[in-house]
Amino acid sequence: MNGASVTPDVKASSSAAADKIKHHICSRFLKKKPPDIYGQQHAIESPKCVSDSLRLLEKEITKLPDDLRAGLDQAAVFCPELLTKEHQLMFLRCEQFNVDLAAIRIAKYWNTRILLFEGTAFRPLSKEQMSDEDREEMSIAFLRLLPYTDGTGRTNIYIDPRVLEGKEYDNKRMVRAAWLTLHEALEIESAQQKGIVFLIYLEGALLRHFDRTLVKELANSIRGILPVRVSAIHMFYAPYLFEVLFDVVSMLLGDRLTNRIKLYSDDEKAVVQDKLMDFGIFASRLPTELSGCLEFVDGTWKNCV
């Protein structure tokens, strides 16, 4: 009948149905760009999609179990200024605007952040906020963020396991140092959208350089927790022993990340720069170990040309 009132139950049902439709629009059926050189697709963001996704994310967070949401609830009390739209948007981008997965990831993130950083978890994560103890592990520079972005808009992180040679370190503090480096990488918006690429230099690496416990703790603190899209892991000049360790590495990384490993043998040294150029990684931003122009000196990258 025209003019008939709608009961509260009908209104609630209609609202829920509308939210469900919008959820699909903002995630599964979101318009995406064609697959790029890494085979990844990226969401085409619009102001409406972003605002709708942020609203739906807030609703999904309220549906999480109390224990999963515990860290996020503490953050809302002790550092509400950190729970900005920009902060939430990192997790939506990581999950390609799937609000269900983004809600779980941001909740796991805060639980892990509090376990790792304890009282300092409620302050901005930056090198300036590091404790004196953490500075020692940070100086090892196990993860080294290369300057700027590559030609695809991604940030690149360089790893040489040989830097662990003869060093004494605490695994938890090493993980905290890795988190700081990854947060610095995520300060660039295009890295949130497109991802991060790891460049791992293995020439001359020996069995003693592979700290499997540390790698496991790093992987467990990042996978499904940090808002990081790993686009690829380029591994250069792996020694024979790596073939023995590859199964272990695959188990630690998981199938999804293992499938993104790209191996380069000694025989490819002459063409490795050409191959990397296909991925938008140019010699001007490669370390000298890869015949590039950058050298790591006193904690910073410097052009050696």
Side-chain angles (χ1 to χ4, degrees), residues 235-254:
M235 291 185 172
F236 303 93
Y237 321 139
Y240 172 74
L241 67 88
F242 185 75
E243 296 180 18
V244 179
L245 293 173
F246 191 77
D247 288 343
V248 176
V249 172
S250 299
M251 182 180 67
L252 296 176
L253 295 178

Side-chain angles (χ1 to χ4, degrees), residues 32-36 40-42:
K32 296 180 181 180
K33 298 176 182 177
D36 63 14
Q40 289 184 311
Q41 290 184 282
H42 311 290

Side-chain angles (χ1 to χ4, degrees), residues 2 114 127 130 138 151 192 214:
N2 291 338
I114 291 169
K127 293 177 182 177
M130 280 191 303
M138 196 72 188
Q192 299 173 23
L214 175 60

Side-chain angles (χ1 to χ4, degrees), residues 161 202 205-212 215 239 241-242 245 249:
L202 296 171
L206 302 173
L207 189 60
R208 65 176 181 268
H209 299 132
F210 292 89
D211 187 336
R212 284 177 282 183
V215 172
L241 67 88
F242 185 75
L245 293 173
V249 172

Side-chain angles (χ1 to χ4, degrees), residues 175-228:
V175 172
R176 287 201 291 258
W179 267 51
L180 290 174
T181 300
L182 289 165
H183 276 77
E184 186 179 354
L186 288 169
E187 290 176 5
I188 299 175
E189 187 177 86
S190 63
Q192 299 173 23
Q193 296 167 326
K194 296 184 176 181
I196 293 175
V197 172
F198 290 87
L199 308 174
I200 303 180
Y201 183 75
L202 296 171
E203 186 170 42
L206 302 173
L207 189 60
R208 65 176 181 268
H209 299 132
F210 292 89
D211 187 336
R212 284 177 282 183
T213 302
L214 175 60
V215 172
K216 182 178 180 180
E217 290 187 25
L218 282 170
N220 288 342
S221 76
I222 295 170
R223 188 172 57 240
I225 296 171
L226 280 172
V228 171

Side-chain angles (χ1 to χ4, degrees), residues 18-191:
D19 278 348
K20 187 175 182 181
I21 291 170
K22 285 186 177 180
H23 161 77
H24 287 309
I25 291 173
C26 293
S27 58
R28 188 175 304 169
F29 300 124
L30 180 70
K31 289 184 179 179
K32 296 180 181 180
K33 298 176 182 177
D36 63 14
I37 188 65
Y38 288 110
Q40 289 184 311
Q41 290 184 282
H42 311 290
I44 299 175
E45 298 179 17
S46 69
K48 178 168 175 52
C49 172
V50 169
S51 62
D52 283 349
S53 296
L54 288 168
R55 180 178 61 79
L56 291 170
L57 176 61
E58 292 282 1
K59 287 194 173 187
E60 288 300 322
I61 289 172
T62 64
K63 298 175 186 176
L64 296 175
D66 291 344
D67 58 339
L68 180 56
R69 208 180 60 236
L72 195 51
D73 288 343
Q74 289 183 59
V77 173
F78 296 113
C79 57
E81 70 281 0
L82 297 183
L83 302 181
T84 61
K85 290 181 179 179
E86 290 75 19
H87 178 71
Q88 294 176 324
L89 190 53
M90 287 197 299
F91 294 87
L92 286 167
R93 285 169 171 159
C94 180
E95 297 293 357
Q96 289 293 278
F97 289 84
N98 185 315
V99 295
D100 307 74
L101 297 178
I104 293 170
R105 186 179 285 264
I106 195 172
K108 287 183 176 180
Y109 166 88
W110 276 101
N111 288 341
T112 306
R113 176 167 169 158
I114 291 169
L115 282 173
L116 276 176
F117 292 89
E118 301 171 352
T120 61
F122 305 113
R123 300 204 300 260
L125 296 187
S126 66
K127 293 177 182 177
E128 291 71 29
Q129 298 286 351
M130 280 191 303
S131 67
D132 291 338
E133 289 180 329
D134 287 347
R135 289 185 190 280
E136 187 173 340
E137 268 71 15
M138 196 72 188
S139 69
I140 295 174
F142 185 53
L143 272 65
R144 300 176 180 180
L145 178 64
L146 289 163
Y148 314 113
T149 61
D150 62 26
T152 71
R154 292 172 169 88
T155 47
N156 301 160
I157 290 177
Y158 179 73
I159 298 175
D160 182 349
R162 296 175 305 165
V163 301
L164 299 179
E165 177 79 42
K167 301 289 197 310
E168 292 185 8
Y169 53 84
D170 175 83
N171 280 1
K172 187 174 182 179
R173 290 201 292 267
M174 287 290 282
V175 172
R176 287 201 291 258
W179 267 51
L180 290 174
T181 300
L182 289 165
H183 276 77
E184 186 179 354
L186 288 169
E187 290 176 5
I188 299 175
E189 187 177 86
S190 63

